[in-house]
Amino acid sequence: MRVTMILRAWLVLVFVGSLQIASVQSAWAEDGYALWLRATPVQDAGLRRAYVKNIKAIVVEGNSPTLLAAQKELSDGLAGMLGRDIPLVQDLRRNGNLLLGTPGASEDIAGLDLPFESLGDEGYIIRALKVRNKRTIVITGNTDTAVLYGSFALLRHMQTRTSLTDIDIVSVPKIQNRILNHWDNMNQTVERGYAGESIWDWHKLPEYKNARYTMYARATASLGLNGTLLNNVNANAAILTPVYLEKVAALAEVFRPYGIKVYFSARFSAPIEIGGLDTADPLSADVQKWWAGKVAEIYKAIPDFGGFVVKANSEGQPGPQDYGRTHKDGANMMAQALKPHGGIVMWRAFVYDADNNEDRVKQAYTEFQPYDGLLADNVSVQAKNGPLDFQPREPIHPLFGALPKTNMTLELQMTKEYLGFDTHLAYLGPMYEEVLKTDTFAKGEGSSVAKVIDGSLFSPKLTSIAGVLNIGSDRNWSGSTFNQANWYVFGRMAWDPYLGAEDMATEWTRQTLTNDDKAVKAIVKIMMMSREAVVDYMTPLGLAHQMDTGHHHGPGPWVDNLGRDDWNPTYYHRADEVGIGFDRTASGSNAASLYHEPLASQYANIETVPENMLLWFHHVPWDYKMKSGETLWDTLVREYTHGVSEITEMRAIWAKQEAYIDAERFAEVSALLLKQEREAQWWRDASIAYFQTISKRPLPADVTPPPLSLEEYKKINWPHLIGY
Ligand code: GCW
């Protein structure tokens, strides 16, 4: 009796001690490095007991590097959350087993009545059941990678403090290729990167593999992403040379156990630059031979290489049009080289031509739509979500729904090139959700972008999604705590494009910041407000591309002197004494007609176009009566002003969360929200000051006028910004 009591007291001490160690650690270690993989102690004693009852031992059937990675995730995560080591055992215990493996490797698992045939290669099952009459939670799938995904999912479940009793999850990715795109240059700068240098330390590779690579792979795989494009689409051919292939092979080795394939941006003129040829003409036999040889060399070094992403004939990049050929010729030539090895080409549709005066948002459609059905089956056309360029809000790209016989990749941007860089809090989940849910009407109602991308609408051979990542060498990876959420939500929606932004914000907050219910609600509220706030203070009512020249930081609606018309903010807002906005109806560029009906008419009609896209499609008189009854001018001013007050409200909500967040991250977010509030005010004031000189209308009586003159706003500049 006494012995039991002493033992109990000792156990309590050990447990409390380990909790204390964990919380002391978190007092100094909450610098954001651990992302959403923190696995902090479960405070709720009842829930902790239930977890412990469910998981007393781990059994792993197999010993591949992938399964070992899964087991390590579970062992570390469970120790962190439960405050005790969960033993790894060979055989099922009486009760409380966590059993990992595939039906191929485990007779026990093969004997279970589970829907393996519906899982493909990557889908997983987590189910509480009995194995040989012993209470067990099984994590399984047809491959070890699927088991790894399931392991991360179980941890996510526990990190969000959900019960495991009766757990029953079957989850299959809806998109095949789920790829991060790094715009990382070989000299370690990052185009549109605001979080330090590139994490790829090319100089030290292949000998030295920074521990960050493994952490990166863990985070990436935890979301179910399965590919990474290592280098900028404004590509340098050096990555295709033997010296770099060896370095990439070393990275690929780190990523392989985590199910992540590597991809390259291939520079179209590489046959000239590193191949010694005098042409890169895709129809030249020498060029074709060169690429075939190069691809074979790549696969020798990296047998599971994913393929190429190509930016051609866009913003000065070389491409097939330099030789009088087409995007189709270029893409099919590269596809042919990759085909024998199972590789794919993602040919970007972000093209606009210096000699073409057509409305820029129509050009990709004009260039690609005629090739529908003519591209090789291992080519995918990679289009940004909108037809312009990752603006705070754009309508969907008209190519979605216009290429029924073509593989398509949706490209989203996580790095906030046009949404306040690393400092403005803008959770992009609502934007991604808006894009994915938009109905293209390509096959009548119910033809959402998600269905185009996941293949359920047109049944293409390949389905893919790509996201331009926002990370760098900063300790917290993404330059600010909340930017991590954009990596998170991209990854989760890449797995399942029907997931909701609010649910993903909740999941992320619980794992990354706090599990306190009230605090979670408040933080999710901030996140869900944030993107719309940015739209309001930067580009309300369908305005776009009003950012200052080159770096895109801060307002520049007055800029009209850049090398090309369509780089100028004035080209996009078209404000004059009559009104503001870009006429994209039949009386203007007619870009609205590129959409399927009834979308085309809805956009083209000023009465039915959503007000948040009004000025994208219409040139609207300043005195036009909006649905609220106010004039367009008054509404515009109010939208800018509202954007600022949204940030003020977000700051106030955040200020109340101090008790729930570690000091380091609380202070960082507080400081950045202050910066955001100031910059939102700047955006609002400068934009109103400028447009008022054109509208020549008074501000509504209750609105505060900008404190400075337009000339003073024009003088503000930022000569030393990074990332471009
Ligand atoms: O968003 C724009 C950026 C460029 C980028 C380009 C692209 C990589 O301003 O920096 O180049 O798009 O997507 O190719």
Side-chain angles (χ1 to χ4, degrees):
M1 171 75 171
R2 232 179 99 74
V3 176
T4 340
M5 273 171 63
I6 291 172
L7 192 65
R8 274 213 197 119
W10 181 79
L11 276 176
V12 167
L13 275 178
V14 170
F15 186 70
V16 170
S18 64
L19 282 186
Q20 270 166 359
I21 290 167
S23 61
V24 168
Q25 273 180 349
S26 66
W28 58 265
E30 292 290 10
D31 54 12
Y33 184 76
L35 297 162
W36 47 87
L37 300 172
R38 288 161 62 250
T40 52
V42 177
Q43 305 291 354
D44 175 335
L47 184 63
R48 193 173 58 236
R49 267 198 306 277
Y51 283 159
V52 171
K53 192 170 154 224
N54 279 308
I55 306 179
K56 296 203 167 104
I58 304 176
V59 186
V60 183
E61 302 267 12
N63 59 4
S64 70
T66 301
L67 280 184
L68 292 181
Q71 176 253 306
K72 184 166 165 36
E73 288 302 328
L74 289 165
S75 294
D76 292 352
L78 292 170
M81 284 187 275
L82 305 180
R84 56 157 78 179
D85 287 334
I86 305 296
L88 190 62
V89 299
Q90 300 295 326
D91 264 319
L92 295 180
R93 293 235 166 141
R94 213 165 65 76
N95 272 321
N97 302 290
L98 186 57
L99 173 63
L100 272 66
T102 61
S106 159
E107 274 178 29
D108 277 336
I109 294 177
L112 298 172
D113 180 20
L114 295 173
F116 288 108
E117 63 300 331
S118 65
L119 297 179
D121 284 345
E122 295 178 305
Y124 60 82
I125 298 173
I126 309 175
R127 189 175 289 183
L129 36 63
K130 292 229 163 136
V131 180
R132 286 195 261 136
N133 219 21
K134 294 163 184 171
R135 217 163 23 77
T136 301
I137 293 176
V138 66
I139 304 180
T140 186
N142 291 320
T143 64
D144 291 348
T145 309
V147 176
L148 176 70
Y149 290 148
S151 304
F152 278 118
L154 182 94
L155 290 168
R156 177 164 63 237
H157 222 71
M158 294 177 69
Q159 288 207 91
T160 52
R161 308 299 190 242
T162 323
S163 162
L164 294 184
T165 311
D166 301 326
I167 187 168
D168 187 1
I169 301 175
V170 178
S171 185
V172 182
K174 296 199 163 60
I175 299 173
Q176 293 157 6
N177 304 305
R178 308 175 296 277
I179 307 175
L180 293 171
N181 281 196
H182 288 261
W183 284 356
D184 293 18
N185 298 312
M186 311 299 289
N187 64 3
Q188 263 190 288
T189 58
V190 180
E191 183 154 347
R192 310 306 177 184
Y194 315 103
E197 298 201 302
S198 167
I199 61 170
W200 316 133
D201 191 345
W202 294 115
H203 180 63
K204 295 197 186 114
L205 282 163
E207 290 84 0
Y208 175 64
K209 295 178 210 153
N210 194 318
R212 257 191 190 242
Y213 305 151
T214 306
M215 181 62 199
Y216 166 87
R218 292 177 55 214
T220 298
S222 76
L223 304 173
L225 292 162
N226 64 5
T228 177
L229 171 73
L230 298 175
N231 62 321
N232 190 355
V233 290
N234 290 329
N236 188 314
I239 197 150
L240 302 166
T241 59
V243 169
Y244 279 94
L245 289 184
E246 201 188 337
K247 294 169 188 282
V248 173
L251 282 178
E253 209 172 283
V254 178
F255 300 157
R256 195 163 290 124
Y258 294 90
I260 302 166
K261 283 186 185 178
V262 300
Y263 295 75
F264 294 158
S265 289
R267 188 164 165 84
F268 199 78
S269 51
I272 303 173
E273 286 153 20
I274 59 167
L277 302 187
D278 57 8
T279 178
D281 182 347
L283 299 194
S284 141
D286 287 344
V287 169
Q288 293 169 2
K289 205 170 134 211
W290 186 84
W291 279 110
K294 182 50 74 184
V295 168
E297 189 185 333
I298 295 173
Y299 276 90
K300 214 164 155 218
I302 311 151
D304 51 355
F305 180 68
F308 292 147
V309 177
V310 186
K311 172 175 178 178
N313 294 119
S314 169
E315 300 187 324
Q317 293 302 305
Q321 293 174 347
D322 303 347
Y323 306 93
R325 314 298 184 196
T326 65
H327 285 295
K328 168 182 72 73
D329 299 330
N332 285 348
M333 179 272 292
M334 287 203 173
Q336 199 183 4
L338 287 155
K339 182 87 182 172
H341 309 275
I344 63 176
V345 182
M346 315 185 106
W347 194 270
R348 291 180 87 233
F350 180 72
V351 296
Y352 58 101
D353 186 350
D355 308 320
N356 188 345
N357 280 332
E358 189 180 34
D359 178 1
R360 181 168 145 187
V361 308
K362 292 177 71 181
Q363 292 189 31
Y365 186 100
T366 309
E367 291 211 34
F368 282 87
Q369 203 281 331
Y371 304 132
D372 188 33
L374 302 177
L375 295 166
D377 65 1
N378 59 332
V379 172
S380 181
V381 171
Q382 177 162 323
K384 295 185 181 181
N385 56 278
L388 182 53
D389 191 7
F390 295 138
Q391 297 302 301
R393 170 167 283 116
E394 291 185 40
I396 56 161
H397 203 302
L399 278 176
F400 294 113
L403 300 177
K405 293 182 236 138
T406 304
N407 301 313
M408 276 207 82
T409 304
L410 166 64
E411 180 178 311
L412 297 168
Q413 196 180 45
M414 285 164 264
T415 193
K416 303 201 308 295
E417 173 183 356
Y418 296 98
L419 287 102
F421 294 9
D422 54 331
T423 50
H424 293 207
L425 198 170
Y427 168 59
L428 300 178
M431 181 200 282
Y432 301 164
E433 183 176 329
E434 178 177 302
V435 170
L436 289 161
K437 277 196 174 150
T438 300
D439 200 335
T440 67
F441 292 95
K443 278 175 132 184
E445 205 177 331
S447 307
S448 65
V449 172
K451 286 189 178 173
V452 174
I453 291 310
D454 76 3
S456 53
L457 198 66
F458 299 128
S459 314
K461 190 141 179 257
L462 302 175
T463 55
S464 318
I465 187 165
V468 181
L469 194 54
N470 58 357
I471 66 164
S473 56
D474 277 9
R475 183 68 190 160
N476 68 9
W477 298 87
S478 54
S480 71
T481 298
F482 275 94
N483 268 354
Q484 297 177 356
N486 292 330
W487 184 4
Y488 187 87
V489 68
F490 169 75
R492 297 282 288 125
M493 287 188 178
W495 180 274
D496 181 352
Y498 303 93
L499 290 172
E502 186 161 354
D503 289 347
M504 293 306 100
T506 306
E507 269 188 10
W508 175 82
T509 302
R510 286 189 174 279
Q511 295 170 90
T512 311
L513 291 172
T514 173
N515 259 304
D516 179 90
D517 289 340
K518 255 178 75 194
V520 169
K521 236 175 130 193
I523 293 166
V524 169
K525 178 166 185 216
I526 294 176
M527 293 172 78
M528 294 303 289
M529 291 166 72
S530 60
R531 178 270 188 142
E532 206 60 40
V534 175
V535 171
D536 288 349
Y537 64 73
M538 287 189 186
T539 50
L541 300 176
L543 286 176
H545 220 301
Q546 298 303 297
M547 296 75 192
D548 205 358
T549 308
H551 50 63
H552 301 153
H553 178 66
W558 46 80
V559 175
D560 62 358
N561 59 353
L562 303 180
R564 297 174 52 123
D565 271 2
D566 56 9
W567 285 347
N568 289 310
T570 51
Y571 170 90
Y572 292 101
H573 65 62
R574 308 204 162 200
D576 55 23
E577 66 279 10
V578 180
I580 178 171
F582 199 131
D583 182 1
R584 293 190 165 108
T585 69
S587 54
S589 79
N590 211 13
S593 70
L594 302 184
Y595 296 94
H596 291 275
E597 288 295 359
L599 208 50
S601 303
Q602 192 201 340
Y603 287 157
N605 181 344
I606 195 167
E607 298 293 325
T608 54
V609 65
E611 281 193 349
N612 63 19
M613 287 192 228
L614 178 66
L615 305 181
W616 182 280
F617 287 108
H618 297 269
H619 190 72
V620 185
W622 296 111
D623 293 326
Y624 176 78
K625 281 265 173 312
M626 302 289 284
K627 295 201 177 90
S628 67
E630 281 204 309
T631 64
L632 167 66
W633 168 246
D634 285 1
T635 309
L636 188 67
V637 171
R638 287 200 194 284
E639 293 282 312
Y640 282 122
T641 309
H642 182 65
V644 185
S645 58
E646 295 273 286
I647 306 302
T648 308
E649 188 184 339
M650 284 159 56
R651 277 190 71 202
I653 300 174
W654 179 255
K656 291 194 198 125
Q657 311 313 319
E658 185 161 11
Y660 308 101
I661 313 288
D662 51 283
E664 193 171 335
R665 290 185 300 172
F666 180 77
E668 176 242 351
V669 173
S670 305
L672 296 187
L673 281 171
L674 173 62
K675 180 173 164 65
Q676 183 172 11
E677 189 181 37
R678 289 177 177 159
E679 293 183 353
Q681 188 73 46
W682 166 41
W683 261 100
R684 178 253 180 215
D685 291 340
S687 306
I688 293 178
Y690 169 69
F691 286 121
Q692 197 175 20
T693 62
I694 307 176
S695 80
K696 304 209 165 38
R697 276 155 176 81
L699 300 182
D702 55 333
V703 163
T704 317
L708 304 180
S709 71
L710 175 58
E711 288 319 306
E712 286 167 295
Y713 289 115
K714 284 187 180 173
K715 274 193 219 132
I716 300 174
N717 77 25
W718 301 85
H720 304 298
L721 287 171
I722 56 161
Y724 72 107

